[in-house]
Amino acid sequence: MSDAADLVRFWRRQRSMSQARLAELAGTGQAAISRIESGRDQPTLALLERIASALDCRLGITFTSDAEAAPRSDPAG
């Protein structure tokens, strides 16, 4: 599962929002949200920006090397 998948699902549930409602607010289809949350699809940066906005969240991007990966933070935490 990807970080994006986990975070989209986490914040959508925190907002008590259905996939269909998130899709409507983000300007995409419910099936696209389902594919993202299941890790079957990697959304574009533009779509991630729209999803973050619909969830009233900020989108942050971090680059790390495989050898020096930054510690992961728990989204619940």
Side-chain angles (χ1 to χ4, degrees), residues 46-74:
L47 179 54
L48 280 176
E49 289 174 333
R50 294 194 321 260
I51 289 170
S53 178
L55 292 169
D56 196 26
C57 292
R58 287 187 346 195
L59 178 63
I61 300 171
T62 303
F63 288 89
T64 59
S65 72
D66 289 338
E68 300 177 33
R72 290 182 56 168
S73 61
D74 181 10

Side-chain angles (χ1 to χ4, degrees), residues 3-23:
D3 288 341
D6 295 336
L7 290 169
V8 169
R9 184 182 324 97
F10 173 82
W11 286 109
R12 179 181 60 78
R13 288 177 176 170
Q14 283 292 109
R15 304 291 192 254
S16 300
M17 192 180 295
S18 69
Q19 287 183 346
R21 180 67 178 146
L22 176 56

